[in-house]
Every structure is written in C-alpha cells, then in structure tokens.
Amino acid sequence: MNANNSVLDAAESVFGRPWIHIVMLFGLAFILSTLIHPEISAFHARRPDSGDPLASILGDGRKLFANHFYVKADVYFHSGYYPTIFDNRESHQTAHMAEDAGVAEGKNTGDEEHFLGKSSDWIDAHSRKHFPSVHTHLGEDSPDGRKNAEREILPWLKFSAKLDPNKIETYTVAAYWLRRTGADGEAEAFLREGLRANPDSVEILFELGRCRYDAKDVEHARNLWALAWRRWQQQEVGKPAEQQNRFIAAAILMHLARLEHAAGDINQCIRCLETLLPLKQNPDEILKRIADVKAGLPLTAE
Amino acid sequence: MHIILAVAGVVILEMIRRKDVYVLLFLTALITLLLGSVNLFGDPNIARYLKEVCLTLIWISSVVIAIATAARQIPAEKESRTIFPLLAKPVTRAQVMLGKFFGCWTACVLSLALFYAFFCLVSGTKEHYWPITNYFQAFWLHAVFCAVVVAMTLMGSVLLAAPSSTITIVGVVVLGILLLGRHLNKVAAKTGGLAGDLLSAIYFAIPHLEWYDVRDLIIHNWPAINWTVIATDTLYGAAFAGLFLVAAWARFRRMALN
Amino acid sequence: MNNMSQSSSANGPQPILRTEKLRVEFRSREIGQGVKVALQGLDLAVYPGEVFGFLGPNGAGKTTTMNVLLGFANATGGAAYLFGTDVRQPIARQRIGYLPEMTYYYKFLTAEELLRFYARIFKIPMAERERRIDVVLKLVELDHARKRPIRTYSKGMQQRAGLAQALINNPDLLILDEPTSGLDPIGRMKVREIIQRLKNEGKTVFFSSHEMGEVETVCDRVAILHQGELKAAGTVASLLTGNETNLEQAFLRIIDFNLNSSSICTSSSLLLAS
Ligand SMILES: Nc1ncnc2c1ncn2[C@@H]1O[C@H](COP(=O)(O)OP(=O)(O)O)[C@@H](O)[C@H]1O
Ligand SMILES: [Mg+2]
C-alpha cells in the first residue's frame, strides 16, 4: 500500500511538472523529424534473424536511427543543403559522400543544384534565406573553406556504426574520408572494427586492401584483395546477374590488375582484366586496356 | 509602463527562483559535454555534430521554458487568487496581460542568453572560430521566436481550461510548425482539391516559426544573414505576437474571475 | 460618527463608499435553472473614519458586493461609487486597499518583495516605498519575517501579509473580505488589533464577517445582509432589542433563524411527510 503510494507520488511529482510533457513531446517529435529525412535503403536485413520479436523491433528501431545518422553524414557533406521527403530527391538517392568515395555506384539523376525548384510564394522565397540553399560539398567548396572539413561527417558515421554495426557503407565511407584527410591509421582501425562485426564483407576487405596498398604494403594488399575476390565469388556467383554487386567486383579486379602491373607481373595483370571482362557492360574499354598492357603501354586508370 | 514592468518583474523573479531553467541548462551542458568527450578518430577539432546537438538541446529547452512559463501565469493568478489584490489596484487587465508577456519573454531571453553563452564557449573552444555576428543573429531570431510562442501560449491559457491542455496544444502547434511549416505548400500542391486548398490556407495563416530556426546556417558556418531579412523576421514576429496578445486580452477582458 | 441612519443629508459628510439599488444576478450555466439573484437592490453608505461591519451568513452576497465595488463583477442594475467615482473607472481604486478571501500570495517572494511589487504599481518613489514597507510590516507585525519566502508563513502570517499589501498605498478606505476567517483565536485577535489601529489612524474600514463576536468590539456600524437583501443597519446598540445582550442574538432574529421554522427542519419534515 505504502510503497505503491510512494511510487505514485514519485510519478506524480515527475509527470505533474508541465515541462516534462514538453520534453516527452519533443522526444516524439525528434523521432518524427527523423522520418522527414529520406531513408536510403533502410532495411537491408543482413543480420541473421534472432527469432526474438522484441529484439527485432528494437533492432529495427536501431537500424532506423543508424540509417538516419548515415544520411545525416551526407547532409553534413552538403553543409545542410539537402532534400527532405517533401522535396524532389532524385538527385540524392545515393549518398554523394559514398559516390565520391567510390564505395557505391551512383544512381542519381536530376538537378542536385536546384532540387527545391522555383519558390512558390513569398513565404517560400523568404524562408529560403534561413537555411542553406546552395549546393556544395565539404572540403573543396564548403562555405567556410576550412581545412579537413570533410571530417565533420565522421561523428554521424561513427554513431551510425554503433547503432547498426552491420551497415557496411558506414565503415567504407568513413575510411575513405579519413584517408582523404590523412588519417590512414584511423581509417584502417575503423575498417578492422567493421571487419570484426562483418567478417565476410567484400567491401571492407577491399577497402582494407586499399589502406595496405597506400601504405606500400603490396603483399598484404594483394592478399586482402584476393580474399575479397574469393568472398565475392562465394557470395555472388549463384545470384542472377542483375542482383550481383558487380560494381565492387570490378573495383577489386581493377585494383588487383593495377597492383600486378606495378609489380611487373604482366600475365597476372592480364588474367585479372580478363576475369573482369564478362562483368562489364561495355567490354571494349577493358579489351583496349588488355591490348595496351600487352603492347607494353601503361595501364590507364578508370 | 511602471505597472507592466512591475508585473513582469514578478514573473522574472519567479523564473529565477524555480529550478526548471537550471535543470534544463544543466542537462544541456551535461549531454553536450558527454558527447563532446567522445573520441572521434583522434581529431578533437570535429565540431559541427556537437554544435548541432547543443543547439538542438537549446531549442528544446527554450520551447519548454517559453510554453511552461507562459501557460501557467494567468491560471496561477486565478488559482492562488492573487489576481484579486492585483486588479483591486489601479491596474487594467491589458496591463496585466502585457506585464505577463514581457515578464515571460524577458525570462526566456535571459535564459537564452545563458544557453547561447554556453554554446559560444563550446563551439569556440572546438573550432577556434568566433562568428559572433552569426551567433547574435541566431540568438536574436530565437528570441523573436520565443516572443511569438509566449504570446501564443498566453492566448491559449485564457482560451483553454487547464494549463496542461494549453501546454499540450501549443506544444503540438509549435512543433508542427517547426517541422512542417515550410513544407505545407508542397503538401498542398500534391494533395490538391479541397484538402489542398485548406492546407494552403493554413500555410498562409500560420506564423512561420521555422524561419527563426537558423541552426543549419550556424552549424555549417554559412555566411551571416542579410540584416533586412532579420528586420523582416522581427517585424513579422512582432506582428504575430501582437495579434495573439490582442486576442488574449480580448478574452481575458471578459473572463469571469471566479 | 453620528450618522446613525443611512439617510445622508446634503450638508453632512459625503459617503466614501456608496451603493444605490445594487442588483447582481448570475445566469446559471445549466439550462432551466433560471437566474440566481445574489444582490437585490442593496443600498449602503459608509462614511469617512468609521469601521463598518458587513455581516451575513455564507452565501448572503457579501463577496459579490465587494466584487462589484472593485470592478471584478458587473452589476445587473443600480450603481456603486467609491469616493464619489463610479467603480467602473479604474481610478476609483487609487485610494483603496483590498484584502480578498483566502489568497495565496506569490509563494516564491518574500514579504518585502511582495510589498515592493505592489508599491511599484502605485508608482511610489523609491525612498518613500522602502519607508512605507517598513511602516506596514511593523503594523502587521511581520517585520521579523520580512526576508522569508511567503511559502514558509503560517496561515495567520499570510493573512497579515495580505493586510500589509492592502495598506501599502496608505489607502483611505480598506475593503476586507472576511479578514479573520480560517484563523486561530490568536490570529483573529491580531487582525482585530490591526483594524483597531487603523481606525485610530483615521482610516475607513469596510469589512465582511460572519463572526459576530469580533464585530461587536471593533465596529462603529454594522449592516446585516441575508440572501442578497439588506435586513438591518446601524450601530450595534441600535440593533439590540428587548433582552438581547449581544449581536449574535440580534443577528439570528434579524435573519429569521428559528430552530422550529428553519429550512433544514422544513425540508426534513417534508422528507418525512413524503
Ligand atoms: N460566479 C457566480 N455564479 C453563480 N452564482 C454565484 C457566483 N458567485 C456567487 N454566486 C452566488 O451568489 C451568492 C452570494 O455569494 P457570495 O457573495 O460569495 O456570498 P458571501 O456572502 O458568502 O460572500 C451565493 O448564493 C453564490 O452561490
Ligand atoms: Mg464571501
């Protein structure tokens, strides 16, 4: 009886305060506001199903937030100029930070400069003076031109990875931008963290190979890329062609070819390029490279 | 004027003596500092996420403070019956209303000043960059926003029965405008028909509080806003605050006290 | 004070508080309830310097009368004047002090701050203000607690803080609504003492009460209100008839309270009959 009352009293004293209502309201609003930002590929169920419904609900909530933070990183990459669910989002279907990093294939169409369109009335026109409305990318042309400004996207990627450790792009994108701004060691460490959570990830193995290659550790780079290629074959060969992630396969083989070419193993290089041939939509380009290599010319980059 | 100032003074004293603002400031500082101490790839200069978190907490706190302070002013005067000795003095109800408005607003601006000082400190130490003009613009627009919200809440407090319903309804309206205000025209265009016209009418009728939220410009170090824009926003906000106050007064003037 | 009767002559002193055929009706919210008449044609006159007791049982209409005088409620008919000015004008309240029933003053203020607030409303200059606060706090015996928040006050102290705010502008007329209700005997005695002191200072005091004992000792004149009607008015002595020795007996007679014919008995006998 007494204990019951004191619990009720405590609840009363907390919930009787008017501002608690507003705090709760804001909590709700925050969750709602996360929905206004576009959700890119929200539910790639990579995680094995645990079978516990509560865990999976919580899990999906976490993934939703993880994805929100991932998108937020891209919002930061654009210094805040980003379409909401009410705007035309064709130009922002793939995160630009991932596209620029070469870890995702860009599928964006449409006008990324003026996705807001013409203002419809004076309220709309005036409103645009209160939020960023110029298309920029961090680093090159960010509004304040600060050094290493690209790193501002990293906190959100880190939080995203904490919430959903199985979201691969989080690691690869972060690693790319870390390396771009000279933090190679941090990049590799973060990728290894990702590899612990996703031991079979082709993308992470590939990125780790890039780290090692940049560090002039050719031996390790070759091993990692070769492992990535084996994993890709294990995971993707059985799938129908249009479902295969050929973008990453091409990247792996191209990098391997270049590595062998630089190491002077022309035969191995040509073997890589030939493996690549059937994966490409326009094989002419590859055929030309094979010819170049055979003729003793340098292997051009893509 | 001296009457308005006297009434406002009591509101400010009340806010200073209640713990709510300190609790919110403490929570904001705590969360900001906790997040600020996260090791992010060994780079201590990464700042924007922290600016965003801090500013978001400041916005939440300011809405909480504005609505919670304003919503209970007039009901509390009635409930404790202090409205009687007050109105028994040569005081008009318009003066009481204006005094309450200026009191709540000043209280909000004072606490905002505290919050923004903290924000400047956080962002300055992280970025080593002090765009004081931009920060002042954000602070001022935020203050104008608070004026509109306080006036709206005072109006709600004389129209609605209980402070809790005022808080909930004004809270929902303010949040709704902040989140959807600038998108309503697009939704209206997509909806079309009668519902579209209705949305469009709402779009033109509501106070566009989302203008006053220039967090994104501050977070990403965009250049300062043109001062004519700030002036327009100030006038627009003042007009809406005035409108709400007149409506509040019109109701309060005829309100039975017992 | 020799104005025993209410008929004010043209050359006698002008009443400081006056109502003429004051009528107040409340329209009931519930349908079919009709109107509730709280005051029916009340004529009152209070003259400078007197302590006037406004008596009546609960629900008689005392608070309603005061609400009209202070502009909180509008009269349905008749008129009311303070210092000869119609009460609907705010300026009529410049020289009055008012103590409402059961008020809980701003809890977070100290008595000193509370009085400073009310003093600022009257635009009393700073030096004068502080002096006035001292005087008033001494008068109501709260000087020792002036720096304590009101929330720590006892009920009696709160009531005296209320009296202090009513006195802050050094008013000529005090309107006190049941100043002693809800207080213990010591608290009541203190309030009575304060009223006595105010009378000695030459203030006019108009106060309501339903406690006869205290009224007898301080009032120059009383009026007895019952169900919105003025039943009697005059000095205490003038209201006593026959073998009545105190006001209470006179009061009960005047409001027709009779154990045998009281409404309670009537209704219970009706209940029995049905
Ligand atoms: N706002 C109101 N609405 C309806 N009836 C009221 C209202 N205020 C007072 N009354 C009625 O008027 C009568 C007089 O009340 P009041 O003046 O408060 O009596 P009292 O002499 O106890 O102060 C009562 O019967 C009361 O019920
Ligand atoms: Mg009463």
Side-chain angles (χ1 to χ4, degrees), chain B residues 258, chain C residues 26 36 38 57-64:
Chain B
N258 42 4
Chain C
F26 290 110
K36 156 106 195 147
N58 285 327
K62 306 182 294 291
T63 302
T64 305

Side-chain angles (χ1 to χ4, degrees), chain B residues 87 91-97 249 252-253 255 257, chain C residues 72:
Chain B
L87 288 177
V91 170
T92 64
R93 295 194 186 189
Q95 285 168 323
V96 173
M97 190 52 90
W249 168 73
F252 183 51
R253 197 168 57 118
M255 194 160 83
L257 296 176
Chain C
F72 302 148

Side-chain angles (χ1 to χ4, degrees), chain B residues 163-183:
Chain B
S164 61
S165 43
T166 309
I167 287 173
T168 313
I169 290 174
V170 177
V172 167
V173 168
V174 169
L175 287 172
I177 293 177
L178 284 178
L179 290 177
L180 301 174
R182 81 179 163 95
H183 304 298

Side-chain angles (χ1 to χ4, degrees), chain A:
Chain A
M1 261 302 260
N2 243 335
N4 218 343
N5 271 343
S6 68
V7 168
L8 283 180
D9 284 353
E12 166 78 30
S13 72
V14 171
F15 290 99
R17 296 201 163 226
W19 55 268
I20 284 290
H21 293 261
I22 308 185
V23 169
M24 293 195 309
L25 241 131
F26 256 95
L28 193 77
F30 178 70
I31 293 168
L32 286 177
S33 74
T34 62
L35 301 176
I36 292 184
H37 277 303
E39 305 298 320
I40 301 172
S41 58
F43 295 99
H44 279 306
R46 278 175 212 251
R47 195 164 2 85
D49 205 4
S50 63
D52 176 1
L54 187 68
S56 75
I57 289 169
L58 277 177
D60 285 348
R62 280 172 69 120
K63 285 175 78 175
L64 211 66
F65 271 103
N67 195 61
H68 173 69
F69 287 151
Y70 180 78
V71 174
K72 194 151 198 76
D74 201 38
V75 175
Y76 269 44
F77 188 60
H78 291 91
S79 291
Y81 181 53
Y82 212 76
T84 64
I85 52 166
F86 300 106
D87 300 308
N88 178 359
R89 277 148 49 201
E90 282 171 358
S91 55
H92 288 72
Q93 296 170 70
T94 312
H96 291 189
M97 60 177 185
E99 204 182 331
D100 282 15
V103 303
E105 194 175 5
K107 297 191 183 85
N108 296 333
T109 57
D111 189 352
E112 60 177 15
E113 307 270 336
H114 303 109
F115 56 77
L116 284 178
K118 275 212 169 57
S119 52
S120 59
D121 51 80
W122 72 271
I123 291 175
D124 193 7
H126 188 69
S127 168
R128 291 177 191 198
K129 292 167 184 154
H130 299 86
F131 58 87
S133 49
V134 180
H135 184 95
T136 58
H137 285 169
L138 270 189
E140 354 138 14
D141 52 4
S142 53
D144 60 348
R146 294 164 75 79
K147 192 165 168 289
N148 287 346
E150 297 94 321
R151 289 195 189 171
E152 296 290 349
I153 69 171
L154 297 173
W156 300 114
L157 293 175
K158 178 146 187 157
F159 299 147
S160 177
K162 279 267 178 295
L163 288 175
D164 182 3
N166 302 111
K167 194 171 164 64
I168 307 296
E169 302 99 291
T170 319
Y171 302 102
T172 53
V173 171
Y176 173 81
W177 291 106
L178 275 166
R179 284 194 296 129
R180 259 282 290 262
T181 55
D184 295 28
E186 297 289 342
E188 200 172 330
F190 194 47
L191 283 171
R192 293 217 176 271
E193 202 180 306
L195 193 65
R196 267 195 296 280
N198 311 278
D200 296 325
S201 166
V202 176
E203 289 89 343
I204 293 179
L205 287 171
F206 168 65
E207 284 295 323
L208 268 174
R210 288 196 352 182
C211 287
R212 286 289 89 212
Y213 191 67
D214 284 356
K216 307 269 184 297
D217 185 358
V218 178
E219 212 42 50
H220 263 116
R222 181 189 285 121
N223 287 345
L224 282 162
W225 283 335
L227 180 62
W229 174 238
R230 275 204 301 283
R231 288 269 184 276
W232 189 89
Q233 286 173 303
Q234 286 163 9
Q235 291 164 19
E236 306 269 325
V237 161
K239 290 185 189 172
E242 65 278 4
Q243 276 179 31
Q244 287 181 348
N245 184 356
R246 294 187 165 186
F247 175 76
I248 187 72
I252 296 168
L253 290 170
M254 202 62 208
H255 277 76
L256 261 177
R258 225 172 287 140
L259 178 144
E260 299 298 0
H261 190 267
D265 191 342
I266 302 296
N267 287 340
Q268 192 62 24
C269 171
I270 289 171
R271 213 166 301 140
C272 287
L273 289 173
E274 279 167 357
T275 320
L276 183 54
L277 259 180
L279 295 173
K280 277 284 188 184
Q281 223 122 60
N282 49 344
D284 297 350
E285 205 185 312
I286 305 297
L287 285 171
K288 184 181 171 297
R289 283 187 194 171
I290 294 174
D292 283 354
V293 171
K294 278 180 176 161
L297 292 168
L299 176 56
T300 49
E302 252 182 307

Side-chain angles (χ1 to χ4, degrees), chain B residues 17 77 80-81 87 89-90, chain C residues 101 104 106 108 113 165:
Chain B
R17 303 220 167 133
E77 287 274 349
S80 67
R81 299 174 56 89
L87 288 177
K89 314 250 180 306
Chain C
E101 277 184 292
Y104 310 95
Y106 309 100
F108 46 90
E113 287 165 336
Q165 68 76 26

Side-chain angles (χ1 to χ4, degrees), chain C residues 176-193:
Chain C
L176 315 176
D177 198 354
E178 310 215 4
T180 57
S181 77
L183 299 188
D184 62 15
I186 299 171
R188 266 187 240 175
M189 195 189 65
K190 281 191 171 170
V191 169
R192 229 158 31 222
E193 269 175 28

Side-chain angles (χ1 to χ4, degrees), chain C residues 229-246:
Chain C
E229 263 181 288
L230 191 67
K231 294 287 184 183
T235 58
V236 173
S238 75
L239 295 183
L240 301 181
T241 57
N243 54 357
E244 287 165 353
T245 52
N246 61 29

